[in-house]
Structure formats: C-alpha cells, structure tokens
Amino acid sequence: MQENVTGEQAPPVEEAKERDSLQAENAALRDRLLRALADAENTRQRGERMAKDARQYAIADFARELLTVLDNLHRAIAAAERRPADMTNDSSLLEGIKATERILTSTLERFAVRRVEALGAKFDPALHEAVMQVEDDEHDPGTVVQVLEDGYVIHERLLRPARVTVARRRQERASHSEAVKPRDHDGFRHFET
C-alpha cells in the first residue's frame, strides 16, 4: 500500500481508482497525440499537393492568354491560304506566320498544354462546349461535326473547352394539321402534339 500525503496508507480502493484514472488520462493523452500526428501528416500531404499543383498549373492563366494569340495565328494562316498566292512577299509572310505558330505550339506543348482532338469525337461536356446542333444523317447523333474554336488541356485539367457544332438526326416533319389534334373529354378541349 502507498502512503498518502499525510503519511497514512491509502486504502486499496482509492489506489485502484487513482490507477484507473491515470490509465484513462494516459489513454486520452495518447489518443490526442495520435490525432495531432495524423493532423500534422495530413497538413504535410496537403501542402505537398498544393505545391505540386502550383508547379503544374502556375502558367494556366498565362497559357490561356496565349491561346488567343495562337487562335489569331490560325485565322491568319487560314485567311492567307484562301487567297491566291500570286506574290512572293505573301508566301514569305505566310511561311513566317506558320513558323511562329509552330514555335508557339511547341512551347505550349513543353509546358503540357495540348489541343483537345474534338472533330469526329463523341460530344463530351467536360471537354466541349456545344455552340449549335445541325441536322446530319451522315454522323451519329452527338458527334462533333465542326470545331469553331480549339479546346486545350494543361496536364489533365481543362484550360479551355472546344467550341463545337454537334450532329443530330433530321426530324421528320409532319404537317401542322396532323400534329395538333384536339381531344374533347370531360368538358374541356385539350390538344395533343
């Protein structure tokens, strides 16, 4: 038996209570320590993920701005190719624009910016923005039939969606008189379409 502060021996019941109390306090402290360690580990991992994302996607806004330049280069090349090339200066200018476009595309690719291949693909709202639908019997419904503006991803994230035209089936047109038929029951006039 232990002696208490006054020098008397503590009864065994009090000693058992004190031991149980100390064990419970020890378990609570151990639990708090483990939770604090787990929280610190989670914070470290979150910090690593944020640093990795910052490294990978830091240029996203800058790249998005450069896409406008790339679009304009594509438009200039398309416009120049539609014109008859009767002057040597025009062909030299066109080659210079094409070289600039290749350099810019190559630079973007080095930083993991890639064009979304949309033409002929199934419409994917995660990658494409449907600007319009056209009736088309040659393609399956939901197929991208025209790309109005290229889309791009950086690593696996969407930088800009591709603006596309999507195919749909031709709708059979019934005459208006056949399409709308009045039904009369329960005293009210109803129309079916």
Side-chain angles (χ1 to χ4, degrees):
M1 288 192 175
Q2 289 185 336
E3 293 184 7
N4 60 18
V5 178
T6 59
E8 301 171 358
Q9 288 192 346
V13 174
E14 285 182 24
E15 191 176 284
K17 283 183 182 179
E18 186 177 329
R19 184 180 61 239
D20 290 344
S21 172
L22 288 173
Q23 286 176 343
E25 184 179 346
N26 188 13
L29 288 172
R30 186 175 197 287
D31 183 56
R32 285 178 56 195
L33 174 65
L34 291 175
R35 288 178 189 266
L37 289 172
D39 189 40
E41 179 63 18
N42 289 341
T43 301
R44 184 189 66 75
Q45 289 175 354
R46 190 176 321 114
E48 285 178 358
R49 276 194 309 273
M50 289 172 65
K52 178 184 174 200
D53 283 354
R55 281 190 304 273
Q56 283 187 333
Y57 304 110
I59 66 155
D61 291 335
F62 181 67
R64 197 173 290 116
E65 293 297 321
L66 284 180
L67 294 179
T68 305
V69 175
L70 190 60
D71 291 339
N72 287 330
L73 289 172
H74 288 282
R75 286 185 199 104
I77 291 168
E81 288 176 342
R82 282 192 299 266
R83 289 185 47 205
D86 56 350
M87 298 181 69
T88 308
N89 292 341
D90 285 349
S91 64
S92 298
L93 179 62
L94 179 57
E95 286 307 312
I97 293 172
K98 285 181 178 181
T100 304
E101 182 261 345
R102 282 191 303 270
I103 292 168
L104 181 55
T105 300
S106 171
T107 301
L108 289 171
E109 286 173 355
R110 274 197 309 265
F111 289 94
V113 176
R114 297 180 340 273
R115 187 169 63 88
V116 173
E117 297 295 332
L119 189 61
K122 193 77 172 157
F123 176 76
D124 181 356
L127 297 173
H128 309 132
E129 177 185 341
V131 176
M132 66 179 137
Q133 288 185 328
V134 294
E135 292 179 350
D136 187 339
D137 292 330
E138 294 177 22
H139 297 90
D140 291 335
T143 302
V144 174
V145 293
Q146 182 182 14
V147 178
L148 304 172
E149 184 178 70
D150 287 326
Y152 291 86
V153 292
I154 182 169
H155 296 284
E156 66 277 346
R157 283 189 191 168
L158 184 66
L159 195 56
R160 181 178 80 183
R163 299 183 73 213
V164 299
T165 301
V166 181
R168 71 173 180 208
R169 288 274 180 234
R170 270 190 209 284
Q171 297 176 347
E172 298 299 321
R173 301 187 193 280
S175 70
H176 185 68
S177 61
E178 292 176 8
V180 179
K181 298 178 196 170
R183 289 189 286 143
D184 192 5
H185 65 82
D186 68 3
F188 293 98
R189 192 167 189 156
H190 302 276
F191 290 90
E192 292 179 344
T193 56

